[in-house]
Amino acid sequence: MAEPLHATFFAFRKREQSGVLLRLTLAFIVAAIVLCGAFAALFWTSIGPVVEWYGQILGAAATNDTSAIESAGIPPGFFSLIGGMLLWMFPFYILCAAFEAGALRWMVHGETKGFMGLSLGAPTWRVWSSYWIWFLLNIAFSIVMSVLMAVVIGVLAVSSGGNAAATATALPAVYVIQYATMIYFAVRFAPAAATSVARRKFAFFEAWTVTKGRFLSLLGSFFVLYLFYFIASIAFVAVFFAAVLGPAAPDLVAAGGDATRFSETMVAIVQSYIQSLSNPQNWVVLGVLQVLGTLVGVSFYIGMYGVNARAAQAALEEGKIAPTP
């Protein structure tokens, strides 16, 4: 029987050399800020009109002014901004791959290379390649599941004699199966990048071997991390409402199950939010929340990397996989 992984907080265990992940995180955040600054500088003339247009759309939506929304049109530079964002994503995801590779290399092999752990070496490109595999698998999975869902819904409709109510009753079970399948494969391939780093070669699909017999353990670790992240996200939203909107914050709970009242409350929230942005003090609060949110988000991802690193490390120890000489 395999030894317990104890992977949930593996990334945060005390190691012989301290501060490696902290330095790596700081380097990543600084590099990300530089990339964001470069994007803003290149597309500054397009960002202003788009932000102003977005504000107009929000304001019109808050007052349910459909004519204002229709007359808003498309701002100048909108498509160039979208194109720029798509291009910007390439260096950004390479940076993300360098960050993940640096974390995995340290947690699996105890190695650190490059500037504060960031490197454009082979591990980074293996991790970056795994992103593309995930992207393609997501597309393939979506297509397959869409076809299967259409077939299943058709079969249900025929077998129920066209009874829409009976078909609708069975749909939740179909969706549960769909998402359970997605979760299963996501967990089984989760350590793909870590496996590539552990093996010192691109080995995305060997993650299936790494996770053999470890599914429930890994699922539990991911669940705990997602739960912590979810709770933190809810806390940030609560702080945002309390600090930025204050007493003017509409009460969603009071809206209850009344769809009309809920819709009116959401409109009031948008209006309150737009009004709150006119207060410079709120920008400070938003900035602080953004910084804290970034730290929590990065910590969450490091925790996820740690789970995958521990799975790959255990596979090395058990002889399931071996590093390439």
Side-chain angles (χ1 to χ4, degrees):
M1 184 176 178
E3 291 293 323
L5 278 181
H6 301 298
T8 307
F9 302 109
F10 178 73
F12 307 107
R13 290 182 185 176
K14 187 175 181 180
R15 292 173 170 83
E16 292 181 8
Q17 185 179 349
S18 62
V20 173
L21 293 178
L22 177 60
R23 290 192 295 273
L24 176 66
T25 300
L26 290 175
F28 169 74
I29 292 175
V30 169
I33 291 173
V34 170
L35 275 178
C36 290
F39 176 82
L42 287 171
F43 293 93
W44 186 254
T45 55
S46 298
I47 292 175
V50 170
V51 170
E52 183 179 354
W53 167 77
Y54 182 67
Q56 292 174 353
I57 294 295
L58 280 180
T63 58
N64 200 25
D65 188 349
T66 55
S67 60
I69 295 176
E70 293 173 357
S71 62
I74 302 296
F78 177 80
F79 292 107
S80 64
L81 183 64
I82 297 299
M85 289 179 66
L86 292 175
L87 291 175
W88 177 84
M89 289 173 68
F90 278 90
F92 178 72
Y93 275 102
I94 290 173
L95 173 62
C96 290
F99 176 55
E100 183 173 357
L104 292 172
R105 189 166 54 232
W106 169 243
M107 288 187 279
V108 175
H109 294 299
E111 301 171 352
T112 178
K113 296 179 181 179
F115 174 70
M116 297 176 70
L118 285 179
S119 168
L120 291 178
T124 293
W125 299 110
R126 291 170 189 143
V127 173
W128 189 68
S129 298
S130 72
Y131 293 170
W132 282 103
I133 298 297
W134 276 115
F135 176 70
L136 295 174
L137 286 178
N138 275 320
I139 293 176
F141 181 83
S142 299
I143 293 172
V144 170
M145 292 308 298
S146 296
V147 172
L148 289 178
M149 284 290 291
V151 172
V152 170
I153 291 173
V155 170
L156 288 173
V158 172
S159 61
S160 64
N163 188 328
T167 303
T169 302
L171 280 180
V174 175
Y175 287 125
V176 168
I177 294 172
Q178 176 185 357
Y179 286 108
T181 303
M182 180 180 67
I183 291 171
Y184 177 76
F185 282 100
V187 171
R188 289 302 304 268
F189 285 115
T195 303
S196 295
V197 170
R199 291 221 57 201
R200 301 186 193 276
K201 73 171 193 176
F202 185 71
F204 184 99
F205 293 100
E206 290 185 43
W208 191 268
T209 301
V210 169
T211 57
K212 185 178 181 180
R214 300 286 193 183
F215 173 77
L216 291 178
S217 176
L218 291 171
L219 179 63
S221 293
F222 290 136
F223 175 79
V224 170
L225 289 174
Y226 270 105
L227 181 62
F228 275 116
Y229 186 65
F230 176 76
I231 293 172
S233 299
I234 294 297
F236 277 120
V237 171
V239 171
F240 166 77
F241 273 95
V244 177
L245 300 184
D251 191 353
L252 279 175
V253 177
D258 188 334
T260 302
R261 189 176 177 187
F262 183 84
S263 177
E264 293 173 350
T265 304
M266 289 302 298
V267 169
I269 287 176
V270 174
Q271 291 174 332
S272 299
Y273 173 69
I274 293 173
Q275 292 171 1
S276 72
L277 295 180
S278 62
N279 185 352
Q281 181 180 349
N282 288 336
W283 284 97
V284 176
V285 175
L286 288 173
V288 171
L289 289 176
Q290 181 63 48
V291 171
L292 293 176
T294 299
L295 293 177
V296 170
V298 170
S299 299
F300 167 73
Y301 277 104
I302 287 178
M304 297 285 282
Y305 300 158
V307 173
N308 293 326
R310 177 62 189 126
Q313 186 186 70
L316 286 172
E317 294 168 353
E318 295 167 1
K320 289 182 177 179
I321 59 173
T324 301

